[in-house]
Amino acid sequence: MNTPRKLTIVWLVLLAATGLTVAIGELDRKGGLSMTLALLAIAFVKSELVASHFMGLRGTSLLWRGLMMGWLILVTTLLTIAFYMGSKT
Amino acid sequence: MALVIRGRIRGMTAAALRQTQPEAPSHAYTHGHPPGDLAIWVFIFAELLVFAVFFAAYAFARAKNVALFNEMQGTLNRSTGALNTLFLITASWFVALAAAAIKEDRPDASRRTARWLAAGIVCGAGFLVVKGAEYADKLAQGINLSTNTFYMFYLSLTFFHFMHVILGMVILVAIWLKTRRGGYSAGDHHGLETGASYWHMVDLVWIILFPLVYVMH
């Protein structure tokens, strides 16, 4: 079960990850594939934290966790392919 | 699309209002299932798939118009996008705290839960105000769906999400009202968890949407 303390730790990590996303955007003006991969990795971790702890999928059956993980992998893979294609044009 | 959204809102509003009716106790579902009603999870994954298509469409359209998308992304206000991320993450945290509070077997559980839900509603309202101000600013500049490909995607994608936030707010208000009336307890909070799960989905989508549209270039 998610205790209020655990939920607060997750919230703080999410805030820090959001700060990191903004910082990468500000510091890396040039952008490119490395920036995309870093931002997608952060978004992946944030989404997984929300799904597991806020939505409560942690501790559910493999089906539900697999569906969420599958969606996350699908989205991040499609975006990586699209941004890779963009970097080659 | 507007008709579909309106239809969904009507349907979900009815679902939210139905939460005021008596319901099965929370222990009615078995361990291993996600919190809340099974139907909301089918709906959540259907919504997530729709957003996945939107995200991919944006990214592949960008691959053919990289210079335009990068230039137009520079006209967005990244600070308000980041602020809205904070609003939604914090709202989700408050709602998760509400779901945890109702499970505590203490006499003031309903009051504490209602307080967390109210805080979540305030943060959700914050998101709507900031996003509404962003839309007003763009409209004042004469920007609309036909301005260019980037703004077609920006406006339609973010507005589709905006409608989901509004729907999430309607649901949160419905469960807040029921909580204030003492409608949920440690042994019966199925409806609250159903509404909370939907709200977290709205947060989850924005966590991808914000870096994709406002930051990645």
Side-chain angles (χ1 to χ4, degrees), chain A residues 1-4 7-8 11 14-15 18 21-22 24-26 28-32 35-36 39-40 43-44 46-48 50-51 53-57 59-61 64 67-68 71-72 74-76 78-79 81-83 85-87 89, chain B residues 31-35 38 41-42 44-45 47-52 55-56 58-60 62-64 66 78 82 85-86 89-93 96-97 100 103-104 112 196-198 200-201 203-205 207-208 210-212 215-217:
Chain A
M1 181 186 160
N2 282 315
T3 61
L7 293 171
T8 302
W11 174 64
L14 290 171
L15 290 186
T18 302
T21 298
V22 174
I24 289 173
E26 292 300 316
D28 189 352
R29 295 278 181 187
K30 192 162 160 271
M35 177 210 219
T36 300
L39 293 175
L40 282 177
F44 189 100
K46 288 173 75 179
S47 303
E48 213 288 314
V50 168
H53 298 281
F54 287 178
M55 296 179 101
L57 286 184
T60 61
S61 68
W64 294 106
L67 277 173
M68 183 57 77
W71 180 80
L72 274 174
L74 174 74
V75 168
T76 48
L78 285 173
L79 296 185
I81 292 169
F83 274 77
M85 286 169 59
S87 71
T89 56
Chain B
H31 184 71
H33 285 215
L38 179 66
W41 283 93
V42 173
I44 283 171
F45 277 105
E47 294 278 36
L48 287 177
L49 275 179
V50 172
F51 274 105
F55 293 157
Y58 169 91
F60 283 102
R62 178 192 174 277
K64 292 180 180 170
V66 174
R78 195 179 288 164
T85 307
L86 299 186
I89 284 172
T90 305
S92 228
W93 173 54
L97 287 172
K103 291 172 191 163
E104 292 174 5
R112 285 160 47 83
S197 297
Y198 182 83
H200 296 313
M201 184 273 288
D203 177 33
L204 185 66
V205 168
I207 282 174
I208 308 278
F210 167 62
L212 175 64
V215 191
M216 286 180 203
H217 58 272

Side-chain angles (χ1 to χ4, degrees), chain B residues 123-140:
Chain B
C123 286
F127 176 94
L128 292 178
V129 168
V130 170
K131 200 84 202 106
E134 257 189 290
Y135 287 140
D137 180 50
K138 296 301 176 202
L139 288 175

